[in-house]
Amino acid sequence: MLNVSNVDKLESIKSLQSTISKLENALSQMTQKGVNTTLVKKRLKAVCIGLAMLENVWNQSPHYYTKEDLSEAHNVLTGLFPSIEKIYVKSKIGSPQRTLLERRIKALELAIQAIDDISNK
């Protein structure tokens, strides 16, 4: 986590903030439609924890998550990779979608690494 450039830090934080916004919108729409929101809620919590861990490691922001919260977030974030990678493979080289996916993958990898670093302290 020490050798992450400031550009990568900024892009990762923005990517996770964007992901949180998208998940909040999805949760709102799903709630209005009356469909099951369990998965979206889990993902939203996990991405929020991932963002908090990056901010903790890079900006020394406090966090109030338990080891169980961190473990669950780690599992949920890790579980996102197969679906993101499928979309990535189908995306056009050089497209804005591919760039966003690359940043999201990097942000999730860094968030998982931060969770691991904090969990092992």
Side-chain angles (χ1 to χ4, degrees):
M1 291 300 294
L2 299 175
N3 296 330
V4 179
S5 73
N6 286 336
V7 170
D8 284 343
K9 288 178 184 180
L10 183 62
E11 285 179 352
S12 294
I13 287 173
K14 282 184 178 179
S15 177
L16 293 182
Q17 289 170 336
S18 171
T19 303
I20 289 167
S21 177
K22 286 180 168 120
L23 287 167
E24 287 171 341
N25 289 338
L27 179 60
S28 173
Q29 290 174 1
M30 291 171 75
T31 301
Q32 288 173 4
K33 292 177 184 174
V35 297
N36 190 335
T37 58
T38 305
L39 182 61
V40 173
K41 285 179 183 176
K42 273 187 175 184
R43 288 179 175 177
L44 178 58
K45 181 178 179 185
V47 175
C48 286
I49 290 171
L51 177 60
M53 295 309 100
L54 290 181
E55 290 176 336
N56 176 266
V57 170
W58 293 334
N59 303 329
Q60 290 70 51
S61 300
H63 79 85
Y64 306 99
Y65 295 104
T66 65
K67 292 262 188 200
E68 293 79 22
D69 289 335
L70 297 178
S71 176
E72 183 177 338
H74 183 283
N75 292 337
V76 171
L77 294 177
T78 302
L80 293 175
F81 283 104
S83 60
I84 293 172
E85 288 167 352
K86 274 185 193 174
I87 298 166
Y88 179 80
V89 168
K90 293 178 184 177
S91 66
K92 281 187 179 178
I93 294 172
S95 69
Q97 181 188 24
R98 185 169 261 223
T99 302
L100 288 173
L101 290 169
E102 287 168 352
R103 288 180 183 162
R104 183 166 294 150
I105 289 167
K106 177 124 181 130
L108 291 172
E109 288 171 345
L110 291 169
I112 290 168
Q113 187 178 346
I115 290 169
D116 287 343
D117 290 353
I118 290 167
S119 295
N120 294 327
K121 282 187 179 178

